[in-house]
Amino acid sequence: MDGIDRLKYEKELMAKGYRYIAGVDEVGRGPLAGPVTVCAVIMPLGEGDIIDGVNDSKKLSAHRREQLAPIIKSKAIACETVSLPHDYIDQVNILNATKEAMRRALAALTVKPDIAIIDAVKLDADCDVFPLIKGDLLSYSVGCASIVAKVERDAMMDAYALKYPQYGFDKNKGYGTKVHLEALRQYGATPIHRRSFITRII
């Protein structure tokens, strides 16, 4: 164990009277291709409800994330995932696309949250918002959201890898790895590339 109390912030918010606490996180702000994906999730926070092994999704193996994601969704009070595509990102920029996906995910929850803990992003939303730097590491709720978002986006990029095999999307998930950059220069952009991200590459 790393000694982090991942319920610290949830406990503090519950002590202030908040009941339904959503964790919100995004995956895919940095890639050159594919969508940005956001998960908003309200988890039960009782002593016997906590899922063992939840952490920042980047610190878990793909296999472990794939094990945890369905458990998180099955235990969640409410869970929604929203992905916004490459062309929308090009239209409004990645920060605005991320915020819009967060708003849509929160609005789609079947239980209205009282407050949302969001990983490092300030957001205008229909509930109170608590931005938390390194939220995916420090908050159980945000960690759950990060795992679900990562698994769902990775599955999309794996499907794109079958359609565009030269780019290695199954391994790089759209990030600018050497293989991906070389394929871009050799073959050009696919329909899922973010044109605003690759203007200086090809």
Side-chain angles (χ1 to χ4, degrees):
M1 295 295 290
D2 53 21
I4 296 171
D5 179 4
R6 291 189 171 81
L7 290 172
K8 175 180 184 288
Y9 295 99
E10 283 87 344
K11 290 172 185 173
E12 290 177 359
L13 293 172
M14 286 188 289
K16 293 178 180 178
Y18 291 105
R19 181 180 179 191
Y20 293 118
I21 300 169
V24 182
D25 199 16
E26 54 71 29
V27 176
R29 282 179 71 171
L32 307 178
V36 61
T37 299
V38 166
C39 177
V41 62
I42 301 174
M43 298 302 295
L45 299 172
E47 194 170 317
D49 296 319
I50 304 306
I51 300 167
D52 187 47
V54 167
N55 198 340
D56 174 0
S57 64
K58 296 183 290 296
K59 295 185 177 294
L60 301 172
S61 68
H63 178 67
R64 187 63 178 138
R65 289 193 298 265
E66 288 163 7
Q67 287 179 321
L68 287 169
I71 299 172
I72 291 167
K73 289 193 281 188
S74 70
K75 283 203 164 197
I77 295 168
C79 182
E80 290 292 337
T81 307
V82 171
S83 293
L84 293 179
H86 58 283
D87 50 353
Y88 185 86
I89 293 167
D90 284 336
Q91 288 171 22
V92 304
N93 79 43
I94 185 59
L95 179 58
N96 287 329
T98 299
K99 289 183 175 182
E100 179 61 18
M102 288 178 170
R103 279 189 287 267
R104 292 187 191 187
L106 283 167
L109 289 170
T110 54
V111 174
K112 181 176 172 56
D114 301 312
I115 192 167
I117 305 175
I118 301 180
D119 187 21
V121 175
K122 294 180 180 178
L123 186 72
D124 292 326
D126 291 334
C127 64
D128 290 347
V129 171
F130 181 65
L132 180 62
I133 295 172
K134 295 186 178 178
D136 47 5
L137 176 66
L138 299 176
S139 162
Y140 171 77
S141 301
V142 179
C144 287
S146 78
I147 291 166
V148 173
K150 175 70 172 159
V151 168
E152 296 212 9
R153 187 182 186 279
D154 282 1
M156 283 186 268
M157 296 310 295
D158 288 346
Y160 284 131
L162 298 175
K163 195 170 184 180
Y164 309 110
Q166 303 96 324
Y167 299 83
F169 289 147
D170 54 324
K171 295 186 172 57
N172 62 51
K173 310 307 180 192
Y175 285 87
T177 62
K178 182 180 179 182
V179 168
H180 185 182
L181 293 175
E182 287 176 352
L184 259 176
R185 294 185 181 107
Q186 182 174 353
Y187 303 105
T190 70
I192 67 160
H193 274 97
R194 304 172 183 178
R195 297 313 194 264
S196 58
F197 280 47
I198 62 171
T199 51
R200 296 181 183 179
I201 298 171
I202 59 172

